[in-house]
């Protein structure tokens, strides 16, 4: 079973999360029993459930004309300057 990312899970509603968790448990059980044929079908259902959230996340990440999310690094120099040394 392939889990969906935390970012995608964050975009799911309460009912979708509950459905995902239930499908995940069933899929893990089927894998433990060696029923990979049925686990594959459960994985497909999980993929279908997550598809709208994945598309929404991709639209969010591919925005153009927006300010960058990550700020420039700030350098803090705590050394004494030459004026303070004299």
């Amino acid at each position: 079973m392939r889990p969906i990312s935390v970012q995608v899970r964050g975009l799911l509603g309460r009912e979708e999360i509950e459905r995902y968790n239930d499908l995940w448990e069933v899929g893990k059980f089927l894998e433990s029993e060696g029923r990979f044929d049925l686990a594959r079908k459960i994985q497909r259902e999980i993929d279908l459930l997550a598809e709208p959230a994945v598309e929404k996340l991709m639209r969010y990440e591919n925005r153009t004309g927006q300010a960058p999310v990550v700020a420039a690094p700030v350098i803090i120099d705590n050394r004494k300057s030459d004026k303070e040394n004299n």
Side-chain angles (χ1 to χ4, degrees):
M1 296 294 301
R2 288 186 326 269
I4 57 177
S5 71
V6 174
Q7 294 90 350
V8 172
R9 275 184 260 165
L11 295 174
L12 295 177
R14 182 183 193 98
E15 291 178 9
E16 293 168 323
I17 285 290
E18 290 174 1
R19 180 169 163 76
Y20 167 75
N21 289 335
D22 293 343
L23 288 169
W24 180 257
E25 290 297 320
V26 170
K28 293 304 282 182
F29 173 76
L30 289 171
E31 281 187 341
S32 71
E33 295 293 313
R35 295 299 311 264
F36 298 104
D37 56 329
L38 295 175
R40 208 172 307 121
K41 292 181 183 203
I42 296 295
Q43 182 66 56
R44 178 70 182 137
E45 288 296 317
I46 289 174
D47 293 343
L48 289 174
L49 176 69
E51 191 173 314
V54 169
E55 290 173 3
K56 184 175 181 180
L57 183 63
M58 290 174 63
R59 281 194 311 269
Y60 178 77
E61 289 179 348
N62 292 331
R63 293 181 300 169
T64 57
Q66 299 289 329
V69 176
V70 179
V74 176
I75 300 172
I76 300 174
D77 187 1
N78 290 329
R79 296 179 288 181
K80 292 183 180 183
S81 66
D82 289 337
K83 295 177 183 177
E84 293 177 4
N85 289 335
N86 294 330

